[in-house]
Amino acid sequence: DKFEEKSFQLDRLRDNGGDGGARTAANMLKVTIKRWSAAEDAFDRGDYAEAIDKFESAQETSRILYNLGLCYLATQQYQQAYDALTKSIACDGYLCASYAVRATCAVYLGNNEAAIDDLKLAINTLRGHDFIDYGQLGLQYRLLRSDVLYNLAVVFCAMGGGRLREAAKNCNEALKCSEIRGDTKPQLDRLKEALDQGAKSSEQIVLFNSGLFRAPRIDKNVGEGFKPVGKSDDIITNKVAMPAPLSFGGGGGGGGGAAAGK
């Protein structure tokens, strides 16, 4: 992440005596962390509009933009959420969570093909692992391969026709994963049962309700600079009040096929 690279560079400059430019840049990073933290406070109060405003005023990094996308998703501003996550991916093409959540946005926007592309990219970014634990990056969340495969199966199932075979393949792959979330397992079982009978299913996608990447905490004892302090298990894990899940109806070609569920 560019934010952490800059932080490391500034620490090296300070260790070597630093200069005015380094101090200025360090102060800019302090401002970014201050705005990031203010956005977190608003988020924790459920004031998503304020959180969006604060995140938009902060330096654009992959994690800040991910947070922004999640806040937009919580307020059902799906295109804005999709755009923020696209920027997050531009900052860090290996942030798997951004692909997974952007796929959710694509489903809400009625673009199943885009959702499939993002879910496949998320699987590729997992590099064969069954999960990614983001604790060390300030997010208390494990992104599971089984959830990504399940969503891929659900979207393929909604599209019907020849895509049912692809749905069955991804459903079976999800069931083979070493870690499956407790509330996802029954959905997978029902989906498999329907697909085994050559039928569609009305199962809902997983919404990846991860909460926010939390800002590094500033050590006020470090002169004019800063250092992130605290461990990942100190991080607050408030979740987003996500919009209603989607369930898929019949029909549907490359694009649509999604309808808001109750």
Side-chain angles (χ1 to χ4, degrees):
D1 190 286
K2 295 178 181 178
F3 176 82
E4 288 197 335
E5 290 178 7
K6 180 63 69 176
S7 172
F8 174 73
Q9 292 168 5
L10 291 172
D11 284 339
R12 290 188 62 185
L13 281 170
R14 282 192 295 274
D15 291 342
N16 294 325
D19 59 21
R23 286 192 294 272
T24 299
N27 287 334
M28 290 174 63
L29 287 172
K30 280 186 178 181
V31 171
T32 294
I33 292 179
K34 183 177 180 180
R35 292 175 179 173
W36 188 346
S37 298
E40 289 176 7
D41 292 340
F43 171 88
D44 294 338
R45 296 194 306 270
D47 188 348
Y48 297 133
E50 177 71 11
I52 288 170
D53 181 67
K54 295 298 183 183
F55 278 131
E56 286 186 332
S57 70
Q59 178 184 354
E60 291 190 347
T61 71
S62 61
R63 283 176 282 167
I64 286 175
L65 288 163
Y66 175 89
N67 290 349
L68 178 60
L70 212 62
C71 290
Y72 273 129
L73 182 57
T75 55
Q76 302 182 34
Q77 298 181 72
Y78 304 124
Q79 187 61 58
Q80 291 90 332
Y82 188 96
D83 293 343
L85 292 160
T86 298
K87 290 182 179 180
S88 173
I89 291 166
C91 290
D92 182 359
Y94 295 99
L95 190 60
C96 184
S98 291
Y99 293 111
V101 178
R102 190 172 71 169
T104 301
C105 298
V107 169
Y108 277 104
L109 290 167
N111 192 340
N112 288 348
E113 290 290 359
I116 287 169
D117 289 343
D118 273 343
L119 290 167
K120 287 181 176 180
L121 285 167
I123 290 169
N124 289 340
T125 308
L126 279 160
R127 300 178 185 177
H129 299 291
D130 277 353
F131 65 87
I132 294 178
D133 190 333
Y134 284 107
Q136 291 186 338
L137 291 178
L139 175 64
Q140 290 292 72
Y141 186 73
R142 288 161 68 90
L143 178 67
L144 303 186
R145 184 169 181 264
S146 57
D147 281 344
V148 178
L149 286 166
Y150 165 77
N151 277 4
L152 191 53
V154 169
V155 178
F156 275 133
C157 185
M159 298 172 76
R163 296 299 183 96
L164 289 179
R165 181 175 297 178
E166 295 175 86
K169 175 185 175 183
N170 284 281
C171 181
N172 290 330
E173 286 295 317
L175 286 166
K176 293 177 185 177
C177 292
S178 62
E179 188 168 343
I180 301 176
R181 216 176 299 280
D183 52 356
T184 305
K185 183 60 165 63
Q187 294 174 285
L188 270 168
D189 290 338
R190 290 193 298 268
L191 180 60
K192 177 174 171 53
E193 182 179 359
L195 290 169
D196 285 347
Q197 297 173 5
K200 289 189 177 182
S201 172
S202 59
E203 294 303 320
Q204 300 172 341
I205 62 170
V206 173
L207 293 178
F208 301 108
N209 191 2
S210 65
L212 301 183
F213 281 101
R214 296 284 161 168
R217 293 160 57 187
I218 299 175
D219 183 350
K220 296 180 179 179
N221 296 320
V222 184
E224 295 184 6
F226 75 92
K227 289 184 179 180
V229 298
K231 298 181 180 179
S232 61
D233 55 7
D234 297 326
I235 297 165
I236 302 170
T237 57
N238 289 32
K239 304 296 185 181
V240 174
M242 297 292 275
L246 291 181
S247 59
F248 289 92
K262 298 292 185 181

